[in-house]
Amino acid sequence: MRSVRARAALGATVVVALALGAAGLAVLLVLRANLTDQAGLQAEVAAREVAGQLALGVPYGELDTGDEEEHPVQITGEDGRVAAVSKDLEAISGTGTDRVEPSAAAGAGDDDDDRDADDEPGRGEVDTDEPDFTNGTATVDGDRADYRFAAVEVTDPAGRTLTVHAGAPLAAEQRAVDSVRAAMLAGLPVVLLVVAGTTWLVTRRALRPVEGIRREMAAITASEDLGRRVPEPGSRDEVARLARTTNETLAALEESVGRQRRFVADASHELRSPIASLRTQLEVAAAHPDLLDLPGAVADTVRLQSLAADLLLLARLDAGERPGATRLDLGALVREEVSQRAGDRVPVAVSVRGGHEVAGSRGQLARVLGNLLDNAQRHAVRSVSVTVDADAGGVLVAVTDDGAGVPEAERDRVFERFVRLDEARARDDGGAGLGLAIARDVAVRHGGTLTVSGARFELRLPRHDTGALPPNPRSSIAGGA
């Protein structure tokens, strides 16, 4: 039962067995009812034939009851006493009385005292209502069998009300029902065996690609080769979609692992320089205390601390850290961030048009603004400006400088990690190449965007009342812009 094929075959067999059982029972019940109705119709015809004779005044002894074995007849009076029975009827049940001997008190059918010889013969009446039907048994000439009895009332010419009970045998109905039941019981195992085998084979064929996917995934896990892909069947069913989704997952995983490896390599390279510089200064200071470059050591330590903080923030963002949903005024945050930048080389002009509330992390958004302003300060000649304005249901923050700007061919690459467009610039002046990468990653996780056009960087965020943070935004920086 651990196999899907076995469970599917068992489930299909049980369902078919229940369905066939219910259908077979219904067929038997309908067949029994139809055959019983036919027997009742035959009994009614026989009873009405005898009742018609009684209505015409035929004496009991001269009644034509037909084949007594096929249609046993019992005639009773109003008081329930037996007036007459068919020939060779030895016992009966199901008619209300099991007596088969006529009673003298029931009256004689050939009584002529009530009419003269010259009078016209009288005529009784047969009840035309639906007769009553019952099931019972009768013993005729020593043979006992089941019968369907019909009870028809009749009034004879003398005014007496009689009830004619005539039966029709149920043996044919019983034989037919037994034959159908035996055929069903004999054919049911064969049908269930065919269903189980067919389900097993069909399920095995349908799951064959799944087994191929499993084997390939096991091989990928063992070899750690994320460049391999599982086979995709040519069908358009769920298995084919599973294979395509698996390959997409493997591709994303391969890209993620490659990105992490590059990230570790770049981070190690970036950390090596300040650590080596700091170590060199400390070794010189240990050998020659009078040559200690304390400002340089402090600068290297600060740069190392800043780089470590950037790497830690990127690690948290890559791990899926969600920004807080604090409600804040973006214009006030811009003014506050600019007011704290007392050491900027170029003054910053701020323009805020109206109030603009957004939802997010105050610290992360302040980090975005700080990174954009740091980038503008490095490239500006004489001016840097920041504007905050409404923009199509959101808030637009534009940071512009009068520098040369970013070439069009580099406008996506500039947001990649550890990328410096001016490779000739000193690392101390140009930074580690993580500021813009962090800025776009934070913007995306706040449900916004960060783009560049020339020397103008545009940060767009949804308003607090019109937008919400995405449930799990995918960082565009994680794999490059």
Side-chain angles (χ1 to χ4, degrees):
M1 290 300 101
R2 294 182 179 181
S3 170
V4 175
R5 291 180 304 225
R7 291 198 298 269
L10 178 61
T13 304
V14 171
V15 170
V16 172
L18 293 177
L20 290 180
L25 180 61
V27 169
L28 291 177
L29 292 177
V30 171
L31 178 61
R32 182 188 296 274
N34 289 338
L35 294 177
T36 301
D37 289 343
Q38 291 182 8
L41 180 60
Q42 296 175 6
E44 180 183 359
V45 171
R48 289 192 181 277
E49 288 180 355
V50 175
Q53 298 177 54
L54 292 173
L56 293 175
V58 177
Y60 297 150
E62 300 178 6
L63 290 173
D64 182 9
T65 59
D67 188 345
E68 290 83 358
E69 187 175 354
E70 289 292 325
H71 302 294
V73 176
Q74 180 190 58
I75 303 172
T76 59
E78 291 183 84
D79 56 359
R81 295 181 180 182
V82 177
V85 296
S86 60
K87 185 180 178 181
D88 297 331
L89 180 62
E90 299 174 359
I92 193 170
S93 65
T95 60
T97 178
D98 56 359
R99 297 186 58 187
V100 294
E101 295 294 333
S103 174
D110 54 353
D111 188 2
D112 296 332
D113 294 341
D114 294 336
R115 66 177 187 269
D116 297 332
D118 296 334
D119 293 340
E120 291 291 333
R123 185 181 182 89
E125 182 179 1
V126 179
D127 189 0
T128 58
D129 292 341
E130 182 76 14
D132 295 331
F133 294 98
T134 57
N135 290 339
T137 62
T139 303
V140 180
D141 197 17
D143 295 328
R144 186 174 183 272
D146 295 328
Y147 288 86
R148 178 75 167 172
F149 290 102
V152 177
E153 291 189 354
V154 59
T155 303
D156 64 6
R160 292 186 293 264
T161 300
L162 304 172
T163 301
V164 180
H165 299 276
L170 294 175
E173 172 263 347
Q174 293 172 349
R175 286 194 299 270
V177 172
D178 291 342
S179 298
V180 173
R181 180 170 55 244
M184 288 183 175
L185 292 178
L188 182 61
V190 178
V191 173
L192 295 181
L193 184 61
V194 171
V195 169
T198 303
T199 305
W200 176 276
L201 294 176
V202 171
T203 308
R204 178 182 179 183
R205 181 179 180 85
L207 294 179
R208 188 176 300 164
V210 177
E211 178 62 20
I213 295 174
R214 187 202 65 78
R215 287 196 300 266
E216 186 63 25
M217 289 296 294
I220 293 173
T221 302
S223 64
E224 298 183 358
D225 182 9
L226 296 178
R228 300 174 62 172
R229 297 293 181 264
V230 300
E232 295 187 14
S235 60
R236 298 182 179 179
D237 55 10
E238 292 83 354
V239 177
R241 292 196 292 271
L242 171 64
R244 287 192 292 272
T245 302
T246 302
N247 284 334
E248 292 173 359
T249 303
L250 288 173
L253 183 60
E254 181 184 18
E255 180 184 356
S256 176
V257 171
R259 186 171 59 246
Q260 293 299 326
R261 289 172 178 171
R262 292 191 300 271
F263 177 74
V264 172
D266 291 338
S268 301
H269 180 72
E270 293 294 332
L271 289 170
R272 186 183 299 116
S273 296
I275 292 176
S277 175
L278 184 60
R279 178 180 177 179
T280 299
Q281 295 181 56
L282 293 177
E283 289 176 349
V284 170
H288 308 281
D290 55 328
L291 299 179
L292 175 62
D293 182 8
L294 186 59
V298 172
D300 286 338
T301 303
V302 171
R303 180 166 177 248
L304 186 61
Q305 182 181 14
S306 177
L307 180 57
D310 288 345
L311 293 175
L312 179 61
L313 177 57
L314 284 174
R316 292 203 309 267
L317 293 176
D318 287 344
E321 179 180 285
R322 290 291 312 278
T326 305
R327 184 175 179 177
L328 54 93
D329 188 333
L330 197 56
L333 180 63
V334 169
R335 290 193 183 96
E336 179 181 349
E337 183 66 21
V338 172
S339 66
Q340 295 177 357
R341 301 177 64 87
D344 282 346
R345 178 178 60 86
V346 178
V348 179
V350 178
S351 174
V352 179
R353 301 181 178 91
H356 305 286
E357 291 187 339
V358 297
S361 168
R362 184 180 187 87
Q364 291 187 11
L365 292 178
R367 182 67 173 275
V368 172
L369 294 173
N371 290 353
L372 293 178
L373 290 172
D374 288 342
N375 181 75
Q377 289 289 333
R378 281 195 295 269
H379 297 87
V381 178
R382 287 185 299 273
S383 67
V384 175
S385 64
V386 181
T387 60
V388 182
D389 201 355
D391 177 69
V395 181
L396 171 65
V397 179
V399 179
T400 309
D401 63 75
D402 59 351
V406 180
E408 185 175 357
E410 303 289 346
R411 290 178 184 175
D412 285 336
R413 184 170 172 267
V414 72
F415 293 106
E416 296 179 6
R417 299 177 181 182
F418 301 105
V419 169
R420 302 179 186 85
L421 298 184
D422 189 358
E423 297 296 345
R425 183 184 300 272
R427 290 185 180 273
D428 292 340
D429 296 333
L434 295 177
L436 295 180
I438 292 175
R440 174 173 276 190
D441 203 0
V442 172
V444 171
R445 292 190 178 275
H446 280 76
T449 60
L450 178 60
T451 58
V452 60
S453 177
R456 177 183 172 91
F457 286 81
E458 296 181 345
L459 170 66
R460 289 179 172 83
L461 296 174
R463 285 184 181 275
H464 177 72
D465 54 348
T466 60
L469 295 178
N472 188 14
R474 181 181 178 182
S475 173
S476 60
I477 297 304

